[in-house]
């Protein structure tokens, strides 16, 4: 997605060897128009596959997931990371390790909002080591639901997440795929490498 890559180039900041800071438009301050375009791009890719729910993890995944759900005209469900007085039982749960914060988070989704009848599209802001997606896949498995695909706004292709999803045969679309960082600059993967698996639309 050229618009996204341009925003990363002009506004993104590389920190160290493996951190990209994009809090000016994606995961702190959010650009609504860009999110709308991102949602439409994901919807265009996964439309026609019978998706019934879009699933993400709070909080940075909510904006792109919401716009994707809007474009697909299906509900968005987000997994909570923090305990809530109103969300205490009848839950699907999974443990997700955050490499950025170096802590384990237990994510939870009410059983009321995910069932074996659902065909789920996972959307997230970043894909690095794949821990958040794996946690959501575990919850989908607990619910007996099926996975239609995974969409990520930005993937760091040089980390493990891409391969973990690809090995499971799950269709993956990254709108911006980064092959590495060089002297504080982002190196994007070739366009034809951003989509790992063909999706047959029925």
């Amino acid at each position: 997605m050229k618009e996204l890559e341009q925003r990363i180039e002009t506004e993104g900041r590389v920190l160290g060897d493996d951190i990209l800071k994009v809090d000016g438009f994606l995961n702190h301050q959010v650009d609504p128009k860009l999110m709308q375009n991102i949602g439409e791009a994901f919807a265009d890719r996964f439309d026609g596959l019978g998706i019934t729910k879009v699933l993400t993890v709070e909080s940075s995944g909510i904006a792109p997931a919401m716009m994707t759900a809007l474009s697909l005209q299906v509900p968005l469900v987000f997994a909570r990371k923090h305990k809530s007085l109103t969300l205490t039982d009848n839950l699907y749960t999974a443990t997700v390790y955050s490499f950025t914060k170096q802590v384990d988070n237990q994510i939870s989704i009410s059983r009321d909002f995910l069932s074996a009848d659902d065909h789920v599209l996972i959307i997230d802001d970043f894909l690095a080591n794949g821990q958040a997606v794996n946690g959501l896949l575990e919850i989908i498995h607990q619910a007996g639901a099926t996975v239609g695909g995974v969409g990520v706004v930005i993937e760091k292709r040089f980390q493990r997440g891409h391969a973990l999803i690809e090995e499971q045969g799950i269709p993956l679309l990254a709108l911006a795929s980064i092959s590495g960082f060089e002297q504080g600059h982002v190196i994007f993967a070739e366009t034809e490498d951003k989509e790992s698996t063909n999706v047959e639309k029925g």
Side-chain angles (χ1 to χ4, degrees):
M1 184 176 175
K2 202 63 183 175
E3 177 188 10
L4 177 60
E5 291 182 353
Q6 290 172 346
R7 294 293 292 273
I8 293 169
E9 287 180 328
T10 58
E11 299 179 41
R13 290 176 55 206
V14 176
L15 305 177
D17 295 328
D18 59 2
I19 301 295
L20 175 65
K21 190 174 183 181
V22 286
D23 58 355
F25 59 87
L26 178 59
N27 52 20
H28 192 26
Q29 176 174 268
V30 177
D31 182 332
K33 181 59 180 175
L34 178 62
M35 291 307 108
Q36 182 179 34
N37 294 343
I38 284 170
E40 290 172 354
F42 284 135
D44 182 65
R45 174 62 176 79
F46 293 102
D47 189 23
L49 300 179
I51 299 297
T52 62
K53 297 277 174 71
V54 171
L55 190 61
T56 192
V57 178
E58 68 174 355
S59 57
S60 298
I62 292 176
M66 173 66 80
M67 291 304 187
T68 304
L70 181 64
S71 292
L72 288 172
Q73 299 183 29
V74 299
L76 161 67
V77 179
F78 66 87
R80 291 178 179 265
K81 290 182 183 176
H82 307 289
K83 291 183 178 179
S84 168
L85 293 176
T86 62
L87 192 69
T88 57
D89 53 17
N90 198 32
L91 306 174
Y92 301 116
T93 62
T95 300
V96 173
Y97 180 73
S98 170
F99 285 88
T100 305
K101 298 179 180 177
Q102 296 188 337
V103 296
D104 283 324
N105 291 307
Q106 187 178 71
I107 61 173
S108 303
I109 289 177
S110 170
R111 291 173 182 262
D112 293 336
F113 304 130
L114 194 63
S115 75
D117 296 327
D118 284 313
H119 193 52
V120 181
L121 173 62
I122 294 173
I123 297 291
D124 209 358
D125 60 335
F126 267 94
L127 176 63
N129 290 291
Q131 295 301 301
V133 171
N134 264 351
L136 292 174
L137 289 172
E138 182 178 337
I139 284 175
I140 291 168
H141 177 72
Q142 290 173 29
T146 56
V147 183
V150 174
V152 293
V153 180
I154 301 170
E155 72 166 353
K156 291 184 282 185
R157 188 70 172 270
F158 54 91
Q159 292 182 282
R160 182 70 179 136
H162 182 102
L164 282 173
I165 296 169
E166 196 172 48
E167 287 165 4
Q168 297 178 70
I170 298 171
L172 169 63
L173 174 63
L175 297 184
S177 185
I178 296 171
S179 60
F181 302 127
E182 289 185 6
Q183 299 180 335
H185 295 286
V186 175
I187 307 301
F188 291 106
E190 294 299 318
T191 302
E192 59 268 22
D193 292 335
K194 294 175 186 177
E195 189 173 315
S196 68
T197 308
N198 290 327
V199 172
E200 295 182 4
K201 298 186 178 183

